[in-house]
Amino acid sequence: MLTPLVLGQDGNVQPKANDAPSKVLVLKTERQRWAALNDARRLSDKAEKYERQGKADDAERMAQQALAIEEQVRGPWHLNVAQRLDQVADLYTMHKKDSAAAPLYERARAIRERALSAHPDVYEQQDGELRVKRNQPAEKVAS
C-alpha cells in the first residue's frame, strides 16, 4: 500500500501523518515533479547508506518512501517504478522477508514486460534469466 504524500511548507515531499489534515500530493508544475523525483533519489541514497550501516528498518522505510514518490509522480507502470520496486524487494530479501519481496519482484517484472511489449525488442528466457532479444529480419521470421 502506498503512503499518502504531501507537499510540505518547505516545498519537499513527505509522508502524510495519519492525523495531519493536509492536501494530497498534487504536482502541477514540472519543477514540482523534478523536486519530488530528486526527493525520491535522495531517499533511495539514504536507504543504501542505512543498509550499509546495518539499519535495516530505516533502509526499508526510506526505500518505501522513494517508491511511493516515484509511483505517484511517474505513474504505476513506469520503468523507474520497477527499479524502485526491485530496491525495496532486494532489501526485504536481504532481511529474510522473502514473502514480502516476491510480489514486488513480480510487479516489477510485469511493468517491464508491459513496457517492452510495445518495444521493437522483447525479453526472452535464457538460463533462467530474462534477456533482451533483438528483432529478427522479416525473412527469418517467415521461414
Side-chain angles (χ1 to χ4, degrees):
M1 178 179 219
L2 291 178
T3 305
L5 302 174
V6 295
L7 199 56
Q9 291 180 350
D10 59 358
N12 290 324
V13 176
Q14 56 200 35
K16 179 183 181 296
N18 289 339
D19 58 349
S22 57
K23 60 184 178 182
V24 177
L25 177 65
V26 178
L27 303 172
K28 294 182 180 180
T29 68
E30 197 64 25
R31 183 176 179 187
Q32 289 173 327
R33 288 173 42 83
W34 281 109
L37 292 173
N38 282 334
D39 286 346
R41 280 189 286 279
R42 181 181 51 80
L43 289 166
S44 179
D45 291 344
K46 273 189 178 182
E48 291 176 12
K49 176 183 166 189
Y50 285 144
E51 179 60 30
R52 286 191 301 272
Q53 294 173 349
K55 299 177 180 178
D57 292 337
D58 291 334
E60 287 178 12
R61 188 171 35 83
M62 293 293 127
Q64 289 165 349
Q65 288 177 9
L67 169 61
I69 292 170
E70 196 85 40
E71 188 164 11
Q72 288 186 9
V73 172
R74 296 189 189 270
W77 292 100
H78 196 279
L79 283 171
N80 288 42
V81 172
Q83 288 179 297
R84 298 282 182 225
L85 285 163
D86 281 338
Q87 181 186 26
V88 174
D90 289 345
L91 288 169
Y92 287 164
T93 300
M94 284 188 272
H95 304 145
K96 308 293 186 227
K97 298 178 181 177
D98 294 335
S99 62
L104 299 180
Y105 284 130
E106 284 298 314
R107 188 163 159 236
R109 183 187 55 76
I111 291 170
R112 288 185 179 96
E113 286 178 356
R114 179 177 169 175
L116 293 173
S117 66
H119 194 276
D121 297 334
V122 295
Y123 276 125
E124 67 179 351
Q125 188 84 2
Q126 187 177 37
D127 299 328
E129 293 183 18
L130 288 177
R131 298 178 186 253
V132 175
K133 177 181 176 184
R134 298 285 174 203
N135 278 343
Q136 299 294 320
E139 59 270 11
K140 278 191 170 181
V141 174
S143 44

